[in-house]
Amino acid sequence: MDKKVDVLVLGGSAAGPVAALTARRYNKDASITVVRREKEVLVPCGIPYIFGTLKDVKKNLIPDGLLLNKNIEIIVDEAKAINRDEKTVFLSKGEKIGYKKLILATGSLPATPPIPGINLKNVFVVRKDVAYLGELLNVLEKVKDVVVIGGGFIGVEFADEFIKRGLNVTIVEILPHCLQLAYDEDFCTIAEKKLTERGVKLMTNNKVEEIQGNEKVEKVKLGSGETIKADLVLVGVGVVPNTELAKNAGLKIGEQRGIWVDEYMKTTDEDIFAVGDCAEKFSFFTGKPTALRLASIATREARIAGINVYGLKRKNVGVIGSFSTIIGDLGLGVAGLTEKSAKDLGFNFVVGMAVAPDKHPATMPGCKEMRVKLLFEKNSKTIIGGQVAGGLTTAEVTNILVSMIERKMTAEEVATFQFGSHPALTCSPITYQIVEAAEDALTKL
Ligand SMILES: Cc1cc2nc3c(=O)[nH]c(=O)nc-3n(C[C@H](O)[C@H](O)[C@H](O)COP(=O)(O)OP(=O)(O)OC[C@H]3O[C@@H](n4cnc5c(N)ncnc54)[C@H](O)[C@@H]3O)c2cc1C
């Protein structure tokens, strides 16, 4: 064995570094090493913004100093195998590292649908790789017509960034609406209106049957029979957990294809934890496996595993699921269950709505309308979900909802919750949307 460390983390993106930093925070003397494949690490959620806002891959990097300043070693190499009996990990360059505790944070890989022509030149997936995305940025300089396959949040964010470059952009989405897996139809419609206003052509209820061209992509053939001119295709149809190492090491894999973990983020091996996109997720509402994979979830799990390597202290209460996005100046956020997912899970619920300006008076510069929709479970009267459409404060308003859901606040508690307000920063306390939406729901409970 070349060396042995107290905590070995495999993966250096969102989850891995946070696990290592948490492990360091609670033990100043432990030897902690992060092994990751890439020399430079991208901010994963920032990837779409490379292409319209940042215009440079190198402006979207996580600095190594975060780890190095805390005396955490970084090894750039690929882990090839885990020997659980020996408690060692083999790296591709031949090194063998022993561990007391191992944290798997090997993330996910882009899903590649089996569409004929997917391997043509100028067809890109969303790979978290500096050189690959640099090539995408180069090719974008030379193209005009772009087709985005998938109208989920990744496809929508890329489409909006491509619009900022003045390109002709079409989103092809198999479902009736863009963002349909995240939001209810009323919010999807608001998003689609904004996308259309910004010049994105939407082809929903439609699928890409074939990507055509000689060597390079030239057009895309749809299920409807139509063909669209395309110089470049961006495929954004989701991710697959990267569990190869864990599988080969005999660790249990869950129903949603992640590495099975218990509430302490421990795998079926006492000394191995798994966090982030590679780990199985369990719903806060049902305890059942869920397919949600987000950086906010990954880093939270990393904070749980990072302390639990020294003894099982932190528990995972399950995934509530929250994320926000932006299209032009329209912010959209979701926390917990939508009407659709609540119905699918058999919840009996009422909906409260409120719309008001996000500053006060509404004549304040930059004021936007903000819409908040809340779902309350009928028996317990507790909040189980919320959606927000507004301006730049949308994400933080959505984060308030996540906390309310986690604390299982009742409609009465939400209607009377204590908050601060300011004319330039928040909605008026008279029409504060979260409170008003809860009051609206109370009249129906
Ligand atoms: C375009 C895009 C936009 C997104 N936007 C958001 C957003 O706004 N909000 C949000 O919450 N989430 C967002 N996400 C999701 C988020 O990026 C992921 O949930 C997050 O990256 C998961 O982090 P992770 O560390 O678990 O995995 P990954 O980011 O996939 O990282 C995996 C790491 O493991 C390493 N690795 C893998 N295998 C090995 C091996 N064998 N040996 C050594 N190292 C290995 C890799 O090199 C990498 O460092 C977005 C995703 C994409 C693609």
Side-chain angles (χ1 to χ4, degrees):
M1 195 188 315
D2 297 334
K3 67 172 158 189
K4 183 169 179 180
V5 294
D6 294 319
V7 182
L8 179 60
V9 180
L10 303 184
S13 172
V18 176
L21 285 166
T22 310
R24 167 60 72 231
R25 189 184 293 271
Y26 292 97
N27 187 333
K28 299 280 171 268
D29 304 318
S31 49
I32 305 173
T33 295
V34 169
V35 177
R36 64 173 200 232
R37 276 195 302 229
E38 61 283 294
K39 190 164 172 293
E40 294 172 299
V41 183
L42 288 150
V43 176
C45 313
I47 291 173
Y49 302 99
I50 293 169
F51 302 100
T53 305
L54 301 174
K55 300 191 183 83
D56 184 352
V57 183
K58 301 275 176 165
K59 285 190 179 162
N60 185 48
L61 298 177
I62 302 177
D64 280 350
L66 267 183
L67 299 177
L68 299 177
N69 294 341
K70 298 284 178 191
N71 194 22
I72 294 167
E73 182 193 25
I74 299 172
I75 296 178
V76 177
D77 201 346
E78 183 170 5
K80 283 293 191 194
I82 302 165
N83 183 330
R84 288 169 50 201
D85 297 328
E86 267 187 13
K87 291 179 61 174
T88 54
V89 171
F90 293 86
L91 306 187
S92 72
K93 291 176 197 152
E95 201 176 347
K96 186 166 145 187
I97 307 180
Y99 62 82
K100 279 192 192 153
K101 298 288 173 187
L102 177 65
I103 302 179
L104 301 176
T106 49
S108 57
L109 301 167
T112 313
I115 303 171
I118 195 128
N119 294 321
L120 282 171
K121 229 174 142 197
N122 290 359
V123 179
F124 289 85
V125 291
V126 187
R127 204 179 286 161
K128 298 166 200 147
D129 176 312
V130 169
Y132 182 83
L133 297 177
E135 173 61 12
L136 171 55
L137 195 57
N138 283 340
V139 176
L140 278 169
E141 295 288 337
K142 301 164 210 147
V143 302
K144 194 70 200 149
D145 298 296
V146 176
V147 171
V148 176
I149 305 180
F153 76 91
I154 292 177
V156 162
E157 288 177 3
F158 267 95
D160 200 47
E161 288 296 294
F162 291 158
I163 282 290
K164 290 180 191 165
R165 303 181 70 93
L167 301 174
N168 298 329
V169 185
T170 306
I171 295 180
V172 183
E173 166 57 53
I174 201 163
L175 295 171
H177 290 285
C178 287
L179 297 172
Q180 195 176 317
L181 296 179
Y183 298 94
D184 283 323
E185 201 176 319
D186 45 347
F187 279 68
C188 293
T189 309
I190 297 171
E192 287 174 338
K193 184 166 170 274
K194 192 66 173 184
L195 282 166
T196 311
E197 268 170 29
R198 289 180 56 73
V200 180
K201 195 165 171 211
L202 303 180
M203 318 246 350
T204 49
N205 249 332
N206 220 325
K207 77 183 247 208
V208 172
E209 287 223 315
E210 191 178 355
I211 303 170
Q212 300 174 331
N214 287 315
E215 202 186 322
K216 260 190 211 165
V217 54
E218 287 164 23
K219 52 193 173 180
V220 161
K221 183 170 172 238
L222 304 184
S224 58
E226 225 173 313
T227 52
I228 323 172
K229 184 172 176 310
D231 309 315
L232 185 143
V233 171
L234 191 278
V235 184
V237 295
V239 295
V240 194
N242 180 14
T243 56
E244 195 73 9
L245 270 178
K247 246 187 249 169
N248 292 342
L251 297 176
K252 182 177 165 187
I253 302 297
E255 255 175 58
Q256 292 288 342
R257 303 202 277 169
I259 304 165
W260 184 89
V261 283
D262 65 11
E263 59 198 332
Y264 299 101
M265 304 312 300
K266 199 155 52 66
T267 66
T268 38
D269 183 314
E270 281 297 307
D271 297 313
I272 305 181
F273 295 77
V275 294
D277 280 9
C278 68
E280 189 80 338
K281 315 275 167 256
F282 297 92
S283 163
F284 172 81
F285 302 99
T286 63
K288 298 209 172 106
T290 158
L292 277 168
R293 292 201 151 76
L294 290 163
S296 50
I297 298 173
T299 48
R300 188 173 149 275
E301 292 175 347
R303 284 176 202 278
I304 296 173
I307 191 167
N308 285 351
V309 290
Y310 307 121
L312 303 179
K313 292 192 180 85
R314 286 188 178 159
K315 275 191 188 182
N316 188 355
V317 293
V319 168
I320 289 174
S322 175
F323 102 101
S324 305
T325 191
I326 187 158
I327 305 166
D329 59 356
L330 171 71
L332 291 155
V334 59
L337 303 179
T338 58
E339 283 196 69
K340 161 119 188 22
S341 56
K343 262 182 217 147
D344 290 349
L345 292 173
F347 280 92
N348 216 345
F349 60 91
V350 299
V351 172
M353 288 286 283
V355 185
D358 66 357
K359 302 185 197 303
H360 57 290
T363 45
M364 285 293 279
C367 180
K368 298 236 169 317
E369 180 182 273
M370 179 178 279
R371 174 179 300 266
V372 172
K373 170 176 176 174
L374 301 181
L375 272 64
F376 293 90
E377 199 274 321
K378 260 191 178 160
N379 276 335
S380 60
K381 300 182 173 53
T382 53
I383 180 167
I384 54 170
Q387 287 160 78
V388 184
L392 292 178
T393 52
T394 297
E396 296 302 356
V397 170
T398 307
N399 285 343
I400 299 174
L401 301 181
V402 188
S403 189
M404 289 177 157
I405 295 168
E406 188 164 5
R407 304 282 153 227
K408 301 193 167 130
M409 285 174 72
T410 63
E412 189 58 39
E413 287 166 341
V414 175
T416 55
F417 101 101
Q418 304 195 38
F419 62 88
S421 67
H422 180 273
L425 300 171
T426 73
C427 167
S428 156
I430 300 169
T431 54
Y432 201 80
Q433 295 91 336
I434 295 177
V435 166
E436 284 293 303
E439 293 278 32
D440 183 38
L442 276 168
T443 62
K444 303 168 194 168
L445 276 164

